[in-house]
Amino acid sequence: MTERAEMLARIARRLGQPAPRDQVAWDPRASLPERPPSIPAAELVRRFVAQLGRLGGKAIRVAADAEAVDYVLSVVAPDVVAAGRGIPPSPPAGGEAQGAAAPGPVLLWDDPLLTRLELAAALASRGVEVSVWRPDLGPAALKELAARARAGVTGAWWGVAETGSIALPAGPGRGRLVSLLPRTHIAVLPESRLVPSVAELFRHLVEEPDLPSSLALATGPSRSADIENDLSIGVHGPADVHVVIVPG
Amino acid sequence: MAGGTFRARARKALENPRLRRAVRVTMNNFMSARRAAMAELAQLAREGLALGDFAAMRERARAIKQHTLDHLDHYLARAATAIGERGGHVHFAAGAHEVGEIVREIARRRGVTLAVKSKSMATEEVHLNRALQADGIEVVETDLGEYIIQLAGETPSHIVGPAIHKTREEIAQLFGRVVGRELSTDTPTLTGVARQVLREKFVRAGMGISGANFVVAETGTLCIVTNEGNGRLVTSAPPVHVAVVGIEKLVPTLADLYVFLGLLARSSTGQKISVYTHMITGPRRPGEADGPEELHVIFLDAGRSDILGTEYQEVLHCIRCGACLNHCPVYRQTGGHAYGAVYSGPVGTVLTPLLGEFRDWKDLPAEACSLCAACWEACPVGIPLHDLILKHRQKTAREGLDQSGLGGPLRLGAAAWTKPWAYRLSVRVGRLALRWFAREEEGGRRWAVKAPGPLRAWTEGRDLPAPPEKSFRELWAEHLRERGQRA
Ligand code: SF4
């Protein structure tokens, strides 16, 4: 095997240096726009909703926490909502693409934002099977849960209006698989975390003292065009993506 | 090296109209999406939402790459240290063999029997799958396109769309063999089957293998970009993650990463950003229940350091977006397999002879390029690919490797054209000779497709319209005579 010192010395030699260099001057500020733009929050919301919609995802701005709960419920258990309104259940439309018709629990991040919404309790009280990503359940059980879940519900660190992206950090209560294995992914995003552009997202990221072990910037549903250029959704990641923008 | 010559492989591709149509349609889609994305980028720049338009972003990207490569010893050390501090293991591999050894050793220690892979040109380059399969390890490509060509036992025909040459009927047959039943050929069925089969692999695999599009030296962050999400699954679900990364993939800081993300998807498929941009900083941390327990980063040289400090250094700027392929008039006719190597199109024409034995690949720069420079215009990191191809040709001539038979006639021509009288004579002789050998084509135009003697080598690769009866000089002289002036 090649040793680190050997590889570095070889590269230095190729570059005409007697030895690897310890110090290099570099100013990364020129890689970002000079100053942040100022765009009103309502406009950011409008752009985010439009962008995600264009990609086949759905974003919605709600005025109160209770509305967020209703929206999540309408996605993960439309039959329950319909029954509540006195609408008789309709037979599920064919195909496994019907996320809501699929069995399995709704898997939630253990996250202060979702706790604030009391989402787990609200879903459970309506008869929806709910599980929370608690690391003490053990990796194997959690992986199995995520593979079986009908939907994953997460928070989001940032949202990007330019692209309709959300930034999903990993952490003890924030399993990576929650936004990855279930066919439906719902992210809850506080309005104050919306930034105008990818550039502004990075302006925030460079300020972070420590990046999480995994940070996924997810932009709409999983897509592929590998079969005769025909767009297909959800080949690996979620096919059905929702972002609920809540006050705060 | 690949079997045969570029010429032979290209001829085979040209005889396949279905392939040519598939390549053209895909390329046109990519190109028009790219144009729209670039126009939108200019608009963002005006609003202060992006660093700049395409030209400005590319200038910055070029400056970052040049700086990083000029100080690669420093940045590689920095990245290795940062990854180590986050609990990752760093390895260095001089070539293909060492990568194989390192990964096999990890697999043995962890008792891995199944590995899932996300698309990676670096692992393709070092034939990692073969090395692992030799140990009885099942290796599954999970990018849908890569999975298709893995089942077919073929190689990628495009950096971004590896399976653009396969029809849905062929794909249905390949997948049908896997699940043991006949499948309909519609896209939802085929993707559904792939999802189901690969899902089970993700959950069972003992190792995930990926490349990385970028590595941030300052933080030790690996950045992996995919549209399907397989990149995230490969690096999140299995207990071990191994990333094989070319040493040229480094960027100094997170801010610099922004510049490349702004260019990559727009240049590649015309998206503003790929669906998943995954940034990995170390393995799973205490208290976390998923993500790899072990993270290994293998920095791969495999000929790259030999390019450093040479006139070809800029080819190491490449971010593998595929734009140069899409814009290349040769690639658009032949597709990727004609290049006979892992990297195709203009970037392959430059890179393949550098990474392999020059002598074996000198026909790529000699034949697979018209020097139109469309690749350079499209390249988001501003690599002067056409210039580098010309340098390859000069090298071929300098080292006496040219076997086309054109050297003699060209030298003769060069000598003749130093004297006006000899120039006039040679043009007249050449014109008459070409007219003599031209043949009629439909539409009434005459083409010289094959001339004998010294003109043969030239006309073999090119069809020339038959020269007109009179040359411009003759017409001009006549014109002056008619007006009573002397030539
Ligand atoms: S050479 Fe330039 S255009 Fe071609 S793949 Fe690399 S970055 Fe893209």
Side-chain angles (χ1 to χ4, degrees):
Chain A
M1 299 303 119
T2 304
E3 294 301 323
R4 168 177 165 144
E6 195 184 322
M7 177 84 103
L8 294 179
R10 175 177 170 72
I11 291 171
R13 215 164 42 240
R14 297 289 325 178
L15 293 167
Q17 299 296 322
R21 288 159 284 188
D22 284 338
Q23 289 297 321
V24 163
W26 176 248
D27 184 0
R29 273 173 308 186
S31 290
L32 290 172
E34 243 167 70
R35 65 186 78 80
S38 74
I39 298 174
E43 172 62 12
L44 292 183
V45 169
R46 197 193 61 75
R47 289 187 191 185
F48 185 90
V49 170
Q51 273 309 322
L52 190 58
R54 216 164 288 162
L55 297 169
K58 183 161 169 55
I60 178 174
R61 163 80 165 85
V62 297
D65 287 3
E67 278 179 54
V69 175
D70 286 344
Y71 182 78
V72 173
L73 198 65
S74 74
V75 173
V76 300
D79 43 334
V80 172
V81 175
R85 292 205 195 103
I87 305 167
S90 55
E96 56 166 344
Q98 301 303 309
V106 175
L107 184 57
L108 278 74
W109 268 7
D110 187 5
D111 182 272
L113 181 64
L114 302 187
T115 311
R116 180 187 102 187
L117 299 180
E118 296 175 2
L119 204 49
L123 292 173
S125 75
R126 307 292 282 271
V128 179
E129 187 191 350
V130 179
S131 295
V132 176
W133 186 274
R134 287 204 338 263
D136 53 307
L137 296 176
L142 285 169
K143 196 194 259 189
E144 190 269 332
L145 256 178
R148 214 160 48 76
R150 71 167 90 172
V153 184
T154 70
W157 203 14
W158 300 98
V160 183
E162 171 197 344
T163 51
S165 312
I166 44 173
L168 303 164
R174 298 167 169 172
R176 307 163 200 225
L177 297 178
V178 179
S179 61
L180 208 41
L181 285 179
R183 189 168 263 282
T184 298
H185 173 214
I186 306 170
V188 182
L189 173 74
E191 191 184 78
S192 61
R193 306 295 287 188
L194 257 182
V195 295
S197 60
V198 178
E200 292 314 307
L201 171 72
F202 272 82
R203 205 189 294 283
H204 288 291
L205 292 185
V206 300
E207 298 290 315
E208 286 297 322
D210 195 10
L211 287 180
S213 54
S214 158
L215 179 63
L217 202 55
T219 310
S222 154
R223 57 168 62 209
S224 169
D226 279 334
I227 298 173
E228 289 191 354
N229 290 305
D230 195 8
L231 178 70
S232 55
I233 296 296
V235 57
H236 291 304
D240 190 22
V241 171
H242 303 257
V243 177
V244 188
I245 303 169
V246 296
Chain B
M1 73 170 283
T5 59
F6 173 75
R7 201 171 275 209
R9 290 186 302 263
R11 188 161 295 144
K12 198 168 145 216
L14 292 178
E15 282 161 6
N16 182 346
R18 206 195 45 69
L19 169 77
R20 293 176 68 184
R21 199 169 39 248
V23 172
R24 208 167 43 239
V25 168
T26 315
M27 301 304 96
N28 289 347
N29 286 351
F30 283 160
M31 282 163 85
S32 57
R34 173 184 176 277
R35 261 195 307 277
M38 292 307 173
E40 191 253 3
L41 179 62
Q43 177 59 36
L44 285 175
R46 277 192 292 276
E47 286 188 65
L49 294 169
L51 177 65
D53 61 5
F54 177 63
M57 293 279 274
R58 137 165 157 157
E59 209 30 59
R60 180 62 186 167
R62 202 173 136 82
I64 297 169
K65 277 285 179 186
Q66 190 173 347
H67 168 80
T68 316
L69 291 171
D70 283 346
H71 302 88
L72 193 58
D73 48 337
H74 170 78
Y75 285 114
L76 191 54
R78 202 141 152 208
T81 303
I83 293 167
E85 280 169 2
R86 294 265 49 136
H89 303 273
V90 179
H91 312 258
F92 297 90
H97 178 73
E98 290 192 9
V99 176
E101 285 304 298
I102 295 165
V103 183
R104 286 162 75 175
E105 167 58 31
I106 300 167
R108 245 174 260 144
R109 185 168 47 73
R110 300 278 317 201
V112 173
T113 53
L114 168 66
V116 282
K117 268 185 77 196
S118 73
K119 196 155 116 66
S120 143
M121 300 303 286
T123 55
E124 202 95 50
E125 205 183 308
V126 300
H127 304 296
L128 181 58
N129 295 12
R130 251 187 258 160
L132 293 175
Q133 282 154 357
D135 274 5
I137 298 167
E138 186 192 355
V139 186
V140 180
E141 295 286 350
T142 61
D143 172 87
L144 184 55
E146 293 279 345
Y147 181 57
I148 292 167
I149 61 170
Q150 185 186 36
L151 291 178
E154 294 176 11
T155 54
S157 57
H158 187 276
I159 296 183
V160 177
I164 53 176
H165 60 288
K166 303 302 277 180
T167 61
R168 58 176 69 252
E169 287 74 26
E170 291 171 307
I171 297 166
Q173 234 165 46
L174 291 167
F175 287 6
R177 230 176 289 152
V178 174
V179 292
R181 64 189 149 94
E182 202 162 307
L183 297 172
S184 64
T185 61
D186 59 296
T187 307
T189 300
L190 296 176
T191 0
V193 167
R195 180 180 168 103
Q196 207 184 345
V197 171
L198 292 172
R199 168 59 52 105
E200 192 255 342
K201 306 277 184 197
F202 282 124
V203 176
R204 250 187 345 104
M207 176 185 274
I209 302 173
S210 76
N213 296 80
F214 309 98
V215 178
V216 181
E218 187 184 40
T219 56
T221 301
L222 307 175
C223 179
I224 300 171
V225 174
T226 65
N227 274 328
E228 296 177 358
N230 60 319
R232 280 181 72 198
L233 279 163
V234 161
T235 60
S236 299
V240 179
H241 171 202
V242 179
V244 182
V245 188
I247 53 173
E248 81 283 15
K249 297 284 175 194
L250 292 169
V251 296
T253 70
L254 272 175
D256 303 314
L257 176 60
Y258 154 72
V259 177
F260 292 97
L261 291 178
L263 285 166
L264 178 58
R266 286 188 171 95
S267 301
S268 183
T269 52
Q271 292 164 279
K272 292 185 207 322
I273 189 167
S274 302
V275 178
Y276 300 107
T277 300
H278 194 191
M279 292 177 253
I280 298 166
T281 309
R284 169 194 308 189
R285 293 187 191 163
E288 293 178 3
D290 63 358
E293 296 154 17
E294 271 184 43
L295 168 69
H296 296 265
V297 181
I298 304 175
F299 283 112
L300 171 70
D301 185 343
R304 287 160 173 79
S305 63
D306 287 334
I307 304 174
L308 278 181
T310 71
E311 54 185 359
Y312 297 103
Q313 181 170 308
E314 277 174 278
V315 76
L316 298 176
H317 291 191
C318 177
I319 58 173
R320 314 273 188 260
C321 72
C324 58
L325 282 62
N326 305 344
H327 289 75
C328 175
V330 176
Y331 179 92
R332 288 169 61 83
Q333 295 302 325
T334 63
H337 290 148
Y339 295 78
V342 174
Y343 300 104
S344 62
V347 65
T349 301
V350 174
L351 200 52
T352 308
L354 293 170
L355 293 181
E357 228 8 89
F358 183 80
R359 197 172 265 288
D360 293 341
W361 295 102
K362 65 179 190 327
D363 66 332
L364 287 182
E367 312 223 328
C369 176
S370 69
L371 295 180
C372 72
C375 48
W376 167 64
E377 271 180 51
C379 177
V381 287
I383 305 173
L385 293 153
H386 61 300
D387 246 14
L388 299 180
I389 291 172
L390 200 57
K391 290 201 164 90
H392 276 330
R393 290 187 183 177
Q394 286 159 352
K395 180 174 173 171
T396 302
R398 213 170 39 236
E399 300 186 358
L401 295 170
D402 178 33
Q403 292 152 356
S404 68
L406 268 175
L410 285 180
R411 262 192 299 281
L412 207 68
W417 290 8
T418 58
K419 301 268 184 305
W421 65 268
Y423 169 76
R424 280 197 291 272
L425 182 69
S426 71
V427 169
R428 180 166 307 171
V429 170
R431 190 157 48 85
L432 290 177
L434 274 181
R435 280 184 67 75
W436 184 261
F437 295 107
R439 59 178 170 76
E440 201 85 29
E441 290 261 312
E442 75 260 40
R445 288 188 70 183
R446 283 159 58 81
W447 291 84
V449 292
K450 208 172 238 162
L455 293 171
R456 163 105 190 268
W458 186 263
T459 49
E460 207 173 38
R462 302 162 182 80
D463 294 347
L464 302 172
E469 242 167 274
K470 291 177 181 172
S471 74
F472 173 76
R473 295 177 66 96
E474 287 168 349
L475 288 171
W476 184 244
E478 268 174 29
H479 170 75
L480 291 180
R481 261 200 307 279
E482 274 164 24
R483 295 184 49 177
Q485 292 170 350
R486 279 178 53 83

